[in-house]
Amino acid sequence: MRDLYDPASRPARRLARLAFVLLLGAMAMGAARAQDAATLKARYGELTDRLANNQFGRPLYLESAQTPNDLKGDIYSIIEHPYPMVQQALRPAEHWCDILILHLNVKGCKSSGSADAKRLSLAVGKKYDQPVDQAYKLEFAYRVAASTADYLQVQLNADEGPLGTRDYRIKLEAVPIDAQRSFIHLSYSYGYGFSARMAMQVYLATIGSQKVGFTSLDKKPDGSPAYIGGVLGLVERNTMRYYLAIDSYLSAYTLPPSEQIEKRIRTWYDATERYATQLHEMDRDEYLEMKRNEIRRQKGRTQ
């Protein structure tokens, strides 16, 4: 009788084939990650001029797109943080609750699940301090798609959203530029059906009628920029708010823990006020007090 691990035995041949298949899979995943990293680095090269010369006053490029059923915003930016720190800060799912809560519409966030199946439960509500149980719920599956010495990719996916929206996708990619700087790409998108389309039309015809995004379409008679409005303006504003939340979180990451929360919320608000035409919604003290309450409540729920 042949030994189980005799190379000539049938079980051994099956094990060898399985090992070979797993090896090929690992090689394919490694090649895909290398390609993603190369693609992002190539994008950095393509955007050199736009990162250096733009209306944002910082090395940042924003673009948006609409299809009949989807909206998407993308931001590419150089950030003044070394890649190892960016990777350490943005890889854990729990840290993303501290990032997302900075957005004025996020009322609470809770992480759960095992290391291989993390979830983020998000409560999204009005632009004032609102109880979590009165807010809309978004259940994100959280996944670290890649985390190597020169490339990070994090994905948050939610199948359903409020008011008939669906397929929420947040993707963050990062690569090092040099010892002190990183290049990141934030993609924010979601789909919508008939009911969501009607809700957006009502919003844009009423309280959202004067709100604009960042893309300049033309000049007004007085020479000032004529910014994009409508649903593309909406997605551009939210993409920028999430980007500024990431940057604000990173800016406080190396501080003592007791100082981080206050630093984050103050940095986020001040950053949004640089683009007050698009992002101003409330006074500084009102925002700071609202977020202190919401973060205090969030920390109590996660302890």
Coordinates of all heavy atoms in Angstrom, one line a residue, residues 202-294:
V202 N -36.7 66.8 -6.1 CA -37.4 67.7 -5.1 C -36.4 68.5 -4.3 O -36.5 69.7 -4.1 CB -38.3 66.8 -4.1 CG1 -38.8 67.7 -3.0 CG2 -39.4 66.2 -4.9
Y203 N -35.3 67.8 -3.9 CA -34.2 68.5 -3.1 C -33.6 69.6 -4.0 O -33.4 70.7 -3.5 CB -33.2 67.5 -2.7 CG -31.9 68.1 -2.2 CD1 -31.8 68.6 -0.9 CD2 -30.8 68.1 -3.0 CE1 -30.7 69.2 -0.4 CE2 -29.6 68.7 -2.5 CZ -29.5 69.2 -1.3 OH -28.4 69.8 -0.8
L204 N -33.3 69.3 -5.2 CA -32.6 70.2 -6.1 C -33.5 71.4 -6.5 O -33.0 72.5 -6.9 CB -32.0 69.5 -7.3 CG -30.9 68.5 -7.1 CD1 -30.6 67.7 -8.3 CD2 -29.7 69.2 -6.5
A205 N -34.8 71.2 -6.4 CA -35.8 72.2 -6.8 C -36.1 73.1 -5.6 O -36.7 74.2 -5.7 CB -37.0 71.6 -7.3
T206 N -35.7 72.7 -4.4 CA -36.0 73.5 -3.2 C -34.8 73.9 -2.4 O -34.1 74.8 -2.9 CB -36.9 72.6 -2.3 OG1 -36.3 71.3 -2.0 CG2 -38.3 72.3 -2.9
I207 N -34.4 73.2 -1.3 CA -33.3 73.7 -0.5 C -32.0 73.5 -1.2 O -31.0 74.2 -0.8 CB -33.3 73.0 0.9 CG1 -33.2 71.4 0.7 CG2 -34.5 73.3 1.6 CD1 -33.0 70.7 2.0
G208 N -31.9 72.6 -2.2 CA -30.6 72.4 -2.9 C -30.5 73.2 -4.2 O -29.5 73.1 -4.9
S209 N -31.4 74.1 -4.5 CA -31.5 74.8 -5.8 C -30.3 75.7 -6.0 O -29.9 76.0 -7.1 CB -32.8 75.6 -5.9 OG -32.9 76.6 -4.9
Q210 N -29.7 76.3 -4.9 CA -28.6 77.2 -5.1 C -27.3 76.6 -4.8 O -26.2 77.3 -4.8 CB -28.8 78.4 -4.1 CG -30.1 79.2 -4.3 CD -30.2 79.7 -5.7 OE1 -29.3 80.4 -6.2 NE2 -31.3 79.5 -6.4
K211 N -27.2 75.3 -4.5 CA -26.0 74.6 -4.1 C -25.2 74.2 -5.4 O -25.8 73.8 -6.4 CB -26.3 73.4 -3.3 CG -26.9 73.8 -1.9 CD -27.1 72.6 -1.0 CE -27.7 73.0 0.3 NZ -26.8 73.8 1.1
V212 N -23.9 74.3 -5.3 CA -23.1 74.0 -6.5 C -21.9 73.1 -6.1 O -21.6 72.9 -4.9 CB -22.5 75.3 -7.1 CG1 -23.6 76.2 -7.7 CG2 -21.7 76.1 -6.1
G213 N -21.3 72.6 -7.1 CA -20.1 71.7 -6.9 C -18.9 72.5 -7.2 O -18.8 73.8 -7.1
F214 N -17.8 71.8 -7.7 CA -16.5 72.5 -7.8 C -16.1 72.6 -9.3 O -15.2 73.4 -9.6 CB -15.4 71.6 -7.1 CG -15.6 71.6 -5.6 CD1 -16.4 70.7 -5.0 CD2 -15.0 72.6 -4.8 CE1 -16.6 70.7 -3.6 CE2 -15.1 72.6 -3.5 CZ -15.9 71.7 -2.8
T215 N -16.7 71.9 -10.2 CA -16.3 72.0 -11.6 C -16.8 73.3 -12.2 O -18.0 73.6 -12.1 CB -16.9 70.8 -12.4 OG1 -16.4 69.6 -11.9 CG2 -16.5 70.9 -13.9
S216 N -15.9 74.1 -12.7 CA -16.3 75.3 -13.3 C -16.6 75.1 -14.8 O -15.8 74.6 -15.6 CB -15.1 76.3 -13.2 OG -15.4 77.6 -13.8
L217 N -17.9 75.5 -15.1 CA -18.3 75.3 -16.5 C -18.1 76.4 -17.4 O -17.9 76.3 -18.6 CB -19.8 75.0 -16.5 CG -20.3 73.7 -15.7 CD1 -21.8 73.6 -15.7 CD2 -19.7 72.5 -16.3
D218 N -18.1 77.6 -16.8 CA -18.0 78.9 -17.6 C -17.7 80.0 -16.7 O -17.5 79.8 -15.5 CB -19.2 79.1 -18.4 CG -19.0 79.9 -19.7 OD1 -17.9 80.6 -19.7 OD2 -19.9 79.9 -20.6
K219 N -17.8 81.2 -17.2 CA -17.7 82.4 -16.4 C -19.0 83.2 -16.3 O -19.8 83.2 -17.3 CB -16.7 83.4 -16.9 CG -15.2 82.8 -16.9 CD -14.7 82.9 -15.5 CE -13.2 82.5 -15.5 NZ -12.6 82.5 -14.2
K220 N -19.4 83.7 -15.2 CA -20.5 84.6 -15.0 C -20.2 86.0 -15.7 O -19.0 86.3 -15.9 CB -20.9 84.8 -13.6 CG -21.3 83.5 -12.9 CD -21.7 83.7 -11.4 CE -22.1 82.5 -10.7 NZ -22.5 82.7 -9.3
P221 N -21.2 86.8 -15.9 CA -21.0 88.1 -16.5 C -20.0 89.0 -15.7 O -19.2 89.8 -16.2 CB -22.4 88.8 -16.4 CG -23.3 87.6 -16.6 CD -22.7 86.5 -15.8
D222 N -19.9 88.7 -14.3 CA -18.9 89.5 -13.5 C -17.5 88.9 -13.5 O -16.6 89.4 -12.8 CB -19.4 89.6 -12.1 CG -19.6 88.3 -11.4 OD1 -19.3 87.2 -12.0 OD2 -20.0 88.3 -10.2
G223 N -17.4 87.8 -14.2 CA -16.0 87.1 -14.3 C -15.8 86.0 -13.3 O -14.8 85.3 -13.4
S224 N -16.7 85.8 -12.4 CA -16.6 84.8 -11.4 C -17.0 83.4 -12.0 O -17.7 83.4 -13.0 CB -17.4 85.0 -10.2 OG -18.8 85.1 -10.5
P225 N -16.5 82.3 -11.4 CA -16.8 81.0 -12.0 C -18.2 80.6 -11.9 O -18.9 81.0 -10.9 CB -15.9 80.0 -11.2 CG -14.9 80.9 -10.4 CD -15.6 82.2 -10.3
A226 N -18.7 80.0 -12.9 CA -20.1 79.4 -12.9 C -19.9 77.9 -12.7 O -19.5 77.1 -13.5 CB -20.8 79.6 -14.3
Y227 N -20.2 77.5 -11.4 CA -20.0 76.1 -11.0 C -21.1 75.2 -11.4 O -22.3 75.6 -11.5 CB -19.7 76.0 -9.5 CG -18.5 76.7 -9.0 CD1 -18.5 77.9 -8.3 CD2 -17.2 76.2 -9.4 CE1 -17.4 78.5 -7.8 CE2 -16.1 76.8 -8.9 CZ -16.1 77.9 -8.2 OH -15.0 78.6 -7.7
I228 N -20.8 73.9 -11.6 CA -21.8 72.9 -11.9 C -22.7 72.8 -10.7 O -22.4 72.9 -9.5 CB -21.0 71.6 -12.2 CG1 -22.0 70.6 -12.9 CG2 -20.5 70.9 -10.9 CD1 -21.3 69.4 -13.5
G229 N -24.0 72.5 -11.1 CA -25.0 72.3 -10.0 C -25.6 70.9 -10.2 O -25.0 70.0 -10.7
G230 N -26.9 70.8 -9.8 CA -27.6 69.5 -9.9 C -27.0 68.4 -9.2 O -26.3 68.5 -8.2
V231 N -27.2 67.2 -9.7 CA -26.7 66.0 -9.0 C -25.2 65.8 -9.1 O -24.6 65.3 -8.2 CB -27.4 64.7 -9.6 CG1 -28.9 64.7 -9.3 CG2 -27.2 64.6 -11.1
L232 N -24.6 66.3 -10.1 CA -23.1 66.3 -10.2 C -22.5 67.2 -9.1 O -21.5 66.9 -8.5 CB -22.6 66.6 -11.5 CG -22.8 65.5 -12.6 CD1 -22.3 66.0 -14.0 CD2 -22.0 64.3 -12.2
G233 N -23.1 68.4 -8.9 CA -22.7 69.2 -7.8 C -22.8 68.6 -6.5 O -22.0 68.7 -5.6
L234 N -23.9 67.8 -6.3 CA -24.2 67.1 -5.1 C -23.1 66.0 -4.8 O -22.6 66.0 -3.7 CB -25.6 66.4 -5.2 CG -26.0 65.5 -4.0 CD1 -26.1 66.3 -2.7 CD2 -27.3 64.8 -4.4
V235 N -22.8 65.2 -5.8 CA -21.8 64.2 -5.6 C -20.4 64.8 -5.4 O -19.6 64.3 -4.6 CB -21.8 63.1 -6.7 CG1 -21.2 63.6 -8.0 CG2 -21.2 61.8 -6.3
E236 N -20.1 65.9 -6.0 CA -18.8 66.5 -5.8 C -18.7 67.1 -4.4 O -17.6 66.9 -3.8 CB -18.6 67.7 -6.8 CG -18.4 67.2 -8.3 CD -18.0 68.3 -9.2 OE1 -17.9 69.5 -8.8 OE2 -17.8 68.0 -10.4
R237 N -19.7 67.6 -3.9 CA -19.7 68.1 -2.5 C -19.4 67.0 -1.5 O -18.6 67.1 -0.6 CB -21.0 68.9 -2.1 CG -21.2 70.2 -2.9 CD -22.3 71.0 -2.3 NE -23.6 70.4 -2.3 CZ -24.4 70.4 -3.3 NH1 -24.1 71.0 -4.5 NH2 -25.6 69.8 -3.2
N238 N -20.1 65.9 -1.7 CA -20.0 64.8 -0.7 C -18.6 64.1 -0.9 O -18.0 63.7 0.1 CB -21.1 63.8 -0.9 CG -22.3 64.1 0.0 OD1 -22.1 64.6 1.1 ND2 -23.5 63.9 -0.4
T239 N -18.1 64.0 -2.1 CA -16.8 63.4 -2.3 C -15.7 64.3 -1.6 O -14.8 63.7 -0.9 CB -16.5 63.3 -3.8 OG1 -17.5 62.6 -4.4 CG2 -15.1 62.6 -4.0
M240 N -15.9 65.6 -1.7 CA -14.9 66.5 -1.1 C -15.0 66.4 0.5 O -14.0 66.4 1.2 CB -15.1 67.9 -1.5 CG -14.2 68.9 -0.9 SD -12.5 68.7 -1.3 CE -12.4 69.6 -2.8
R241 N -16.2 66.3 1.0 CA -16.4 66.2 2.4 C -15.7 64.9 3.0 O -15.1 64.9 4.0 CB -17.9 66.2 2.8 CG -18.5 67.6 2.6 CD -20.0 67.5 3.1 NE -20.5 68.9 3.1 CZ -21.6 69.2 2.3 NH1 -22.2 68.3 1.5 NH2 -22.0 70.5 2.4
Y242 N -15.8 63.8 2.3 CA -15.2 62.6 2.7 C -13.7 62.6 2.6 O -12.9 62.2 3.4 CB -15.8 61.4 1.9 CG -17.1 60.9 2.4 CD1 -18.2 60.9 1.5 CD2 -17.4 60.6 3.7 CE1 -19.5 60.5 1.9 CE2 -18.6 60.2 4.2 CZ -19.7 60.2 3.3 OH -20.9 59.8 3.7
Y243 N -13.2 63.3 1.5 CA -11.8 63.5 1.3 C -11.2 64.3 2.5 O -10.2 64.0 3.1 CB -11.4 64.1 0.0 CG -10.1 64.7 0.0 CD1 -8.9 63.9 -0.2 CD2 -9.9 66.1 0.2 CE1 -7.7 64.5 -0.2 CE2 -8.6 66.6 0.2 CZ -7.5 65.8 0.0 OH -6.2 66.4 0.0
L244 N -11.9 65.4 2.8 CA -11.4 66.2 3.9 C -11.5 65.5 5.2 O -10.6 65.8 6.1 CB -12.2 67.5 3.9 CG -12.0 68.5 2.7 CD1 -13.0 69.7 2.8 CD2 -10.6 68.9 2.6
A245 N -12.4 64.6 5.4 CA -12.5 63.8 6.6 C -11.2 62.9 6.7 O -10.6 62.8 7.8 CB -13.7 63.0 6.6
I246 N -10.8 62.3 5.6 CA -9.6 61.4 5.6 C -8.4 62.3 6.0 O -7.6 61.9 6.8 CB -9.5 60.8 4.3 CG1 -10.6 59.7 4.0 CG2 -8.1 60.1 4.2 CD1 -10.6 59.2 2.6
D247 N -8.3 63.4 5.3 CA -7.1 64.3 5.5 C -7.1 64.8 7.0 O -6.0 64.9 7.6 CB -7.1 65.4 4.5 CG -5.7 66.1 4.5 OD1 -4.7 65.4 4.4 OD2 -5.7 67.4 4.5
S248 N -8.2 65.2 7.5 CA -8.3 65.7 8.9 C -8.0 64.6 9.9 O -7.3 64.9 10.9 CB -9.7 66.2 9.2 OG -10.0 67.3 8.3
Y249 N -8.4 63.4 9.6 CA -8.0 62.3 10.5 C -6.5 62.0 10.5 O -5.9 61.9 11.6 CB -8.8 61.0 10.0 CG -8.4 59.8 10.9 CD1 -9.1 59.6 12.1 CD2 -7.5 58.9 10.5 CE1 -8.8 58.5 12.9 CE2 -7.2 57.8 11.3 CZ -7.8 57.6 12.5 OH -7.5 56.5 13.3
L250 N -5.9 62.0 9.3 CA -4.5 61.9 9.3 C -3.7 63.0 9.9 O -2.7 62.7 10.5 CB -4.1 61.7 7.8 CG -4.5 60.5 7.0 CD1 -4.2 60.6 5.6 CD2 -3.9 59.2 7.6
S251 N -4.2 64.2 9.9 CA -3.5 65.3 10.5 C -3.4 65.2 12.0 O -2.6 65.8 12.6 CB -4.2 66.7 10.1 OG -5.5 66.8 10.7
A252 N -4.4 64.5 12.6 CA -4.4 64.3 14.0 C -3.8 63.0 14.5 O -3.7 62.8 15.7 CB -5.8 64.5 14.5
Y253 N -3.4 62.2 13.6 CA -3.1 60.8 13.9 C -1.9 60.6 14.9 O -1.9 59.7 15.7 CB -2.9 60.0 12.6 CG -2.7 58.5 12.9 CD1 -3.8 57.7 13.2 CD2 -1.5 57.9 12.7 CE1 -3.7 56.4 13.4 CE2 -1.4 56.5 12.9 CZ -2.5 55.7 13.3 OH -2.3 54.4 13.5
T254 N -0.9 61.5 14.8 CA 0.3 61.3 15.6 C 0.2 62.1 16.9 O 1.1 62.1 17.7 CB 1.5 61.8 14.8 OG1 1.3 63.2 14.4 CG2 1.7 60.9 13.6
L255 N -0.9 62.8 17.2 CA -1.1 63.5 18.4 C -1.5 62.6 19.6 O -1.9 61.4 19.3 CB -2.2 64.5 18.3 CG -2.0 65.7 17.3 CD1 -3.3 66.6 17.3 CD2 -0.8 66.5 17.7
P256 N -1.3 63.0 20.8 CA -1.8 62.2 21.9 C -3.3 61.9 21.8 O -4.0 62.8 21.3 CB -1.5 63.1 23.2 CG -0.4 64.0 22.7 CD -0.6 64.2 21.3
P257 N -3.7 60.7 22.1 CA -5.1 60.3 21.9 C -6.1 61.4 22.5 O -7.2 61.6 21.9 CB -5.3 59.0 22.6 CG -3.9 58.4 22.5 CD -2.9 59.6 22.7
S258 N -5.8 62.0 23.6 CA -6.7 62.9 24.3 C -6.9 64.2 23.4 O -7.8 64.9 23.6 CB -6.1 63.3 25.6 OG -4.9 63.9 25.5
E259 N -6.0 64.5 22.4 CA -6.1 65.7 21.6 C -6.6 65.4 20.2 O -6.9 66.4 19.5 CB -4.7 66.3 21.5 CG -4.1 66.7 22.8 CD -2.7 67.2 22.7 OE1 -2.3 67.6 21.5 OE2 -1.9 67.3 23.7
Q260 N -6.8 64.2 19.9 CA -7.1 63.8 18.5 C -8.5 64.3 18.0 O -8.7 64.8 17.0 CB -6.9 62.3 18.2 CG -5.4 61.9 18.3 CD -5.3 60.4 18.0 OE1 -6.2 59.8 17.5 NE2 -4.1 59.9 18.2
I261 N -9.5 64.0 18.9 CA -10.9 64.3 18.4 C -11.1 65.8 18.2 O -11.6 66.2 17.1 CB -11.9 63.8 19.5 CG1 -11.9 62.2 19.5 CG2 -13.3 64.3 19.2 CD1 -12.7 61.6 20.6
E262 N -10.6 66.6 19.1 CA -10.8 68.0 18.9 C -10.1 68.6 17.7 O -10.6 69.4 17.0 CB -10.4 68.8 20.2 CG -10.8 70.2 20.3 CD -12.4 70.3 20.4 OE1 -13.0 69.4 20.8 OE2 -12.9 71.5 20.2
K263 N -8.9 68.0 17.5 CA -8.1 68.4 16.3 C -8.8 68.0 15.0 O -8.9 68.8 14.1 CB -6.7 67.7 16.4 CG -5.9 67.9 15.1 CD -5.4 69.3 14.9 CE -4.4 69.3 13.7 NZ -4.0 70.7 13.4
R264 N -9.4 66.8 15.0 CA -10.1 66.4 13.8 C -11.2 67.2 13.4 O -11.4 67.7 12.3 CB -10.6 64.9 14.0 CG -9.5 63.8 14.0 CD -10.2 62.5 14.3 NE -9.3 61.6 15.0 CZ -9.7 60.6 15.8 NH1 -11.0 60.5 16.2 NH2 -8.8 59.8 16.3
I265 N -12.1 67.5 14.4 CA -13.3 68.2 14.1 C -13.0 69.7 13.7 O -13.7 70.3 12.8 CB -14.4 68.1 15.2 CG1 -13.9 68.7 16.5 CG2 -14.8 66.7 15.4 CD1 -14.9 68.7 17.6
R266 N -12.1 70.3 14.4 CA -11.7 71.7 14.1 C -11.0 71.7 12.7 O -11.3 72.7 11.9 CB -10.8 72.2 15.1 CG -11.5 72.5 16.5 CD -10.5 73.0 17.5 NE -11.2 73.2 18.8 CZ -11.7 74.4 19.1 NH1 -11.6 75.4 18.3 NH2 -12.3 74.6 20.3
T267 N -10.2 70.8 12.4 CA -9.5 70.8 11.1 C -10.5 70.6 10.0 O -10.4 71.2 8.9 CB -8.4 69.7 11.0 OG1 -7.4 69.9 12.1 CG2 -7.7 69.6 9.7
W268 N -11.5 69.6 10.2 CA -12.4 69.4 9.1 C -13.3 70.6 8.8 O -13.5 71.0 7.7 CB -13.4 68.2 9.5 CG -14.3 67.7 8.4 CD1 -14.0 66.8 7.5 CD2 -15.6 68.3 8.1 NE1 -15.1 66.7 6.6 CE2 -16.1 67.6 7.0 CE3 -16.4 69.2 8.7 CZ2 -17.3 67.8 6.4 CZ3 -17.7 69.5 8.2 CH2 -18.1 68.7 7.0
Y269 N -13.8 71.2 9.9 CA -14.6 72.4 9.7 C -13.8 73.5 9.0 O -14.3 74.1 8.0 CB -15.2 72.9 11.0 CG -16.2 74.1 10.7 CD1 -17.5 73.8 10.4 CD2 -15.7 75.4 10.8 CE1 -18.4 74.9 10.2 CE2 -16.6 76.5 10.5 CZ -17.9 76.2 10.2 OH -18.8 77.2 9.9
D270 N -12.6 73.8 9.4 CA -11.8 74.9 8.8 C -11.5 74.5 7.4 O -11.5 75.4 6.5 CB -10.5 75.1 9.6 CG -10.8 75.7 11.0 OD1 -11.9 76.2 11.3 OD2 -9.9 75.6 11.9
A271 N -11.3 73.3 7.1 CA -11.0 72.9 5.7 C -12.2 73.1 4.8 O -12.1 73.5 3.7 CB -10.5 71.4 5.6
T272 N -13.4 72.8 5.3 CA -14.6 72.9 4.5 C -14.9 74.4 4.3 O -15.4 74.8 3.2 CB -15.8 72.3 5.1 OG1 -16.1 72.9 6.4 CG2 -15.6 70.8 5.3
E273 N -14.5 75.3 5.2 CA -14.8 76.7 5.0 C -13.9 77.3 4.0 O -14.1 78.5 3.5 CB -14.6 77.4 6.4 CG -15.8 77.2 7.3 CD -17.1 77.7 6.7 OE1 -17.3 78.9 6.6 OE2 -18.0 76.8 6.4
R274 N -12.8 76.7 3.7 CA -12.0 77.2 2.5 C -12.8 77.1 1.2 O -12.5 77.8 0.3 CB -10.7 76.3 2.4 CG -9.7 76.5 3.5 CD -8.5 75.6 3.2 NE -7.8 76.0 2.0 CZ -6.7 75.3 1.6 NH1 -6.2 74.3 2.2 NH2 -6.1 75.8 0.4
Y275 N -13.8 76.3 1.2 CA -14.7 76.1 0.0 C -16.1 76.4 0.5 O -17.0 75.6 0.2 CB -14.5 74.7 -0.5 CG -13.1 74.3 -0.6 CD1 -12.6 73.3 0.2 CD2 -12.2 74.9 -1.5 CE1 -11.2 72.9 0.2 CE2 -10.9 74.5 -1.6 CZ -10.4 73.5 -0.8 OH -9.1 73.1 -0.8
A276 N -16.3 77.6 1.1 CA -17.6 77.9 1.7 C -18.7 78.0 0.7 O -19.8 77.7 0.9 CB -17.5 79.2 2.5
T277 N -18.4 78.4 -0.6 CA -19.4 78.5 -1.6 C -20.1 77.2 -1.8 O -21.3 77.1 -2.0 CB -18.7 79.0 -2.9 OG1 -18.2 80.2 -2.8 CG2 -19.8 79.0 -4.1
Q278 N -19.3 76.1 -1.7 CA -19.9 74.7 -1.9 C -20.3 74.1 -0.6 O -21.3 73.3 -0.6 CB -18.8 73.8 -2.6 CG -18.5 74.2 -4.1 CD -17.5 75.3 -4.2 OE1 -16.9 75.7 -3.2 NE2 -17.2 75.7 -5.4
L279 N -19.5 74.3 0.5 CA -19.6 73.4 1.6 C -20.2 74.0 2.9 O -20.5 73.3 3.8 CB -18.3 72.7 1.9 CG -17.6 71.9 0.8 CD1 -16.3 71.3 1.3 CD2 -18.5 70.8 0.3
H280 N -20.3 75.3 2.9 CA -20.8 75.9 4.2 C -22.3 75.5 4.4 O -23.1 75.7 3.6 CB -20.7 77.4 4.1 CG -21.2 78.1 5.4 ND1 -20.5 78.1 6.6 CD2 -22.4 78.6 5.7 CE1 -21.2 78.7 7.5 NE2 -22.3 79.0 7.0
E281 N -22.5 75.0 5.7 CA -23.9 74.6 6.1 C -24.3 75.2 7.4 O -25.4 75.4 7.7 CB -24.0 73.1 6.1 CG -23.8 72.4 4.7 CD -25.0 72.6 3.8 OE1 -26.1 73.1 4.3 OE2 -24.9 72.3 2.6
M282 N -23.3 75.4 8.3 CA -23.6 75.8 9.7 C -22.4 76.5 10.2 O -21.3 76.5 9.7 CB -24.0 74.6 10.6 CG -22.9 73.6 10.7 SD -23.3 72.2 11.8 CE -24.8 71.5 11.0
D283 N -22.7 77.3 11.3 CA -21.6 78.0 12.0 C -20.6 77.0 12.7 O -21.0 75.9 13.0 CB -22.2 78.9 13.1 CG -23.0 80.1 12.4 OD1 -22.7 80.4 11.2 OD2 -23.9 80.6 13.1
R284 N -19.4 77.5 12.9 CA -18.4 76.7 13.5 C -18.7 76.1 14.8 O -18.6 74.9 15.0 CB -17.1 77.5 13.6 CG -15.8 76.8 13.9 CD -14.6 77.7 13.8 NE -13.4 76.9 13.8 CZ -12.6 76.7 14.9 NH1 -13.0 77.2 16.0 NH2 -11.5 76.1 14.8
D285 N -19.2 77.0 15.7 CA -19.5 76.5 17.1 C -20.6 75.4 17.1 O -20.6 74.5 17.8 CB -19.9 77.6 18.0 CG -18.7 78.5 18.4 OD1 -17.5 78.1 18.2 OD2 -18.9 79.7 18.8
E286 N -21.6 75.6 16.2 CA -22.7 74.7 16.0 C -22.2 73.3 15.6 O -22.6 72.3 16.1 CB -23.7 75.2 15.1 CG -25.0 74.4 14.9 CD -25.9 74.9 13.9 OE1 -25.6 76.0 13.2 OE2 -27.0 74.4 13.7
Y287 N -21.3 73.3 14.6 CA -20.8 72.1 14.1 C -19.9 71.4 15.2 O -20.1 70.2 15.4 CB -19.9 72.3 12.8 CG -19.1 71.1 12.4 CD1 -19.7 70.0 11.7 CD2 -17.8 70.9 12.8 CE1 -19.0 68.9 11.4 CE2 -17.1 69.8 12.5 CZ -17.7 68.8 11.8 OH -17.0 67.6 11.4
L288 N -19.1 72.2 15.8 CA -18.2 71.6 16.8 C -19.0 70.9 18.0 O -18.7 69.8 18.4 CB -17.2 72.6 17.4 CG -16.2 73.2 16.4 CD1 -15.3 74.3 17.1 CD2 -15.3 72.1 15.8
E289 N -20.0 71.6 18.4 CA -20.8 71.1 19.5 C -21.6 69.9 19.1 O -21.7 68.9 19.8 CB -21.7 72.2 20.1 CG -22.5 71.7 21.3 CD -21.6 71.4 22.5 OE1 -20.5 71.9 22.6 OE2 -22.1 70.6 23.4
M290 N -22.1 69.9 17.9 CA -22.8 68.7 17.3 C -21.9 67.5 17.3 O -22.3 66.4 17.7 CB -23.4 69.1 15.9 CG -24.1 67.9 15.3 SD -24.7 68.3 13.6 CE -23.2 68.3 12.7
K291 N -20.7 67.7 16.7 CA -19.8 66.6 16.6 C -19.3 66.1 17.9 O -19.1 64.9 18.1 CB -18.7 66.9 15.6 CG -19.1 66.9 14.2 CD -19.7 65.6 13.8 CE -20.5 65.6 12.5 NZ -21.2 64.4 12.2
R292 N -19.0 66.9 18.9 CA -18.6 66.5 20.2 C -19.7 65.6 20.8 O -19.4 64.5 21.3 CB -18.4 67.7 21.1 CG -17.1 68.5 20.8 CD -17.0 69.7 21.7 NE -16.0 70.6 21.2 CZ -16.1 71.9 21.1 NH1 -17.3 72.5 21.3 NH2 -15.1 72.7 20.7
N293 N -21.0 66.0 20.6 CA -22.0 65.1 21.2 C -22.1 63.8 20.4 O -22.3 62.7 21.1 CB -23.4 65.9 21.0 CG -23.5 67.1 22.0 OD1 -22.8 67.1 23.0 ND2 -24.3 68.1 21.6
E294 N -22.1 63.8 19.1 CA -22.2 62.6 18.3 C -21.0 61.7 18.5 O -21.2 60.4 18.6 CB -22.3 63.0 16.8 CG -23.6 63.7 16.5 CD -23.7 64.2 15.1 OE1 -22.7 64.2 14.4 OE2 -24.8 64.7 14.7

